[in-house]
Amino acid sequence: MQSQFAVASSAHGQSPVLLTVFAVGGVVALWAGLSWAFDMRGLPVRRTNTAGQLRLLGALLALAGLVLLGIVYALWQLG
C-alpha cells in the first residue's frame, strides 16, 4: 500500500529529470519573454495597444521563466 505513494514522497531524493525539465522550461520562457518584451521589429503593429499588450505578455512570460528557475533552485537546495 505504501509503494503507491513513494512517487510523491522525497524518499528517493531529487529527480534530475524534473529539475532539467523545469530548468529548460524556465530558460525558454525567460528567453521568449525577453524577446517579446524588447524586440518590436518583428511584431506587426496594427492597433495602437497591440505593441503594449505584447510587451506586457512578454514581461509576464519572462517573469514566469524566473519563477520556474526559482523553483529549480529551491528543489535543488531541498534535495
Side-chain angles (χ1 to χ4, degrees):
M1 184 77 175
Q2 291 180 355
S3 65
Q4 294 174 345
F5 301 108
V7 174
S9 69
S10 62
H12 299 294
Q14 64 186 9
S15 170
V17 174
L18 181 66
L19 291 178
T20 304
V21 167
F22 273 93
V24 168
V27 168
V28 167
L30 185 63
W31 174 75
L34 290 176
S35 175
W36 281 9
F38 294 113
D39 184 24
M40 296 271 85
R41 290 177 292 143
L43 299 175
V45 178
R46 294 186 182 161
R47 295 183 296 167
T48 56
N49 60 354
T50 303
Q53 288 173 351
L54 291 175
R55 284 185 182 215
L56 177 65
L57 289 175
L60 290 175
L61 187 60
L63 180 65
L66 287 176
V67 168
L68 281 175
L69 290 176
I71 289 171
V72 168
Y73 181 75
L75 289 174
W76 179 62
Q77 288 296 320
L78 291 174

